[in-house]
Amino acid sequence: LGADVPRPDVDAVSARRIQAYVAAPEGHEAAAEGNTTEAIQRLLEAAEWLAAVSPAASARLVGEAASVVDGPNGPRVVMELDRAAERLRGLAFEELRGELLMTRGGLLMEGASDRPAMLQEAVQSFQKATQALPRRTHPIPYAVCHLNVAVAYLAMPMGTQAARLRAAIAVQSLREALEVLDPDRHPDLW
């Protein structure tokens, strides 16, 4: 390394890893005990400590926090999923990035019952996920994203000019999903 290249502070990196390795199991234990708030807190702490050291490991922990999310913690986890997906942009972890975006879209759809604007944000997450999880390499997640886009658009308020366009996009997304899915092989998605 040249003299002008900054060297990582090995002690700081080690300390972050140790903090994460302590917090992550505590988060898993809290989840197993049904304490979702504590589980999410500890998993997100571990993710933050690993973010600069290992974006992929950090993103996995954010995904694990999302798997135990409850209502009050939803917005925080959605924000963390967005941050984790953004940290993975341009790295060799497009599949993981796509999974995070799918999870983010799902959480947004769950919370959209009283806030329809969240549906549009969910659509954007699913559309980004289809770019990270293309049909040729990830056909089922790709199809699921398209199904969710259709459901989100059809759940939006109707009666406007924009509603007709959304309905057309929903139909196109359903067609895209049906090109991949088969009622015999994917009855749960059909």
Side-chain angles (χ1 to χ4, degrees):
L1 292 174
D4 60 339
V5 175
R7 296 174 187 252
D9 181 350
V10 175
D11 290 334
V13 169
S14 295
R16 284 181 163 272
R17 283 188 179 143
I18 291 168
Q19 288 171 317
Y21 293 146
V22 169
E26 290 174 350
H28 293 125
E29 183 177 346
E33 294 171 354
N35 187 346
T36 57
T37 300
E38 178 68 18
I40 291 167
Q41 177 66 31
R42 298 304 287 156
L43 290 168
L44 292 179
E45 283 176 5
E48 186 61 35
W49 287 322
L50 284 177
V53 179
S54 174
S58 173
R60 279 276 176 224
L61 289 169
V62 172
E64 290 174 20
S67 73
V68 297
V69 75
D70 56 5
N73 290 301
R76 178 177 179 206
V77 174
V78 165
M79 182 184 72
E80 293 299 328
L81 284 164
D82 195 38
R83 289 178 57 203
E86 189 57 36
R87 281 193 293 262
L88 294 176
R89 182 186 299 280
L91 301 179
F93 300 103
E94 276 301 290
E95 182 175 357
L96 176 55
R97 184 171 170 271
E99 291 170 8
L100 294 174
L101 290 166
M102 281 183 70
T103 301
R104 181 180 187 274
L107 287 176
L108 286 165
M109 281 182 66
E110 285 177 17
S113 61
D114 58 344
R115 295 185 287 187
M118 289 175 67
L119 289 171
Q120 185 60 44
E121 199 174 337
V123 165
Q124 291 170 355
S125 285
F126 291 126
Q127 289 172 334
K128 288 178 185 176
T130 63
Q131 294 168 2
L133 301 167
R135 179 178 171 178
R136 72 184 186 296
T137 57
H138 299 86
I140 302 303
Y142 176 86
V144 168
C145 285
H146 276 287
L147 287 174
N148 284 320
V149 165
V151 168
Y153 274 139
L154 293 173
M156 290 180 187
M158 296 293 175
T160 65
Q161 184 73 14
R164 281 190 244 152
L165 177 60
R166 288 194 306 265
I169 295 170
V171 168
Q172 183 56 40
S173 281
L174 287 172
R175 285 182 180 146
E176 192 70 27
L178 293 178
E179 286 184 20
V180 173
L181 301 175
D182 176 88
D184 296 326
R185 291 183 307 161
H186 312 103
D188 55 325
L189 297 172
W190 194 253

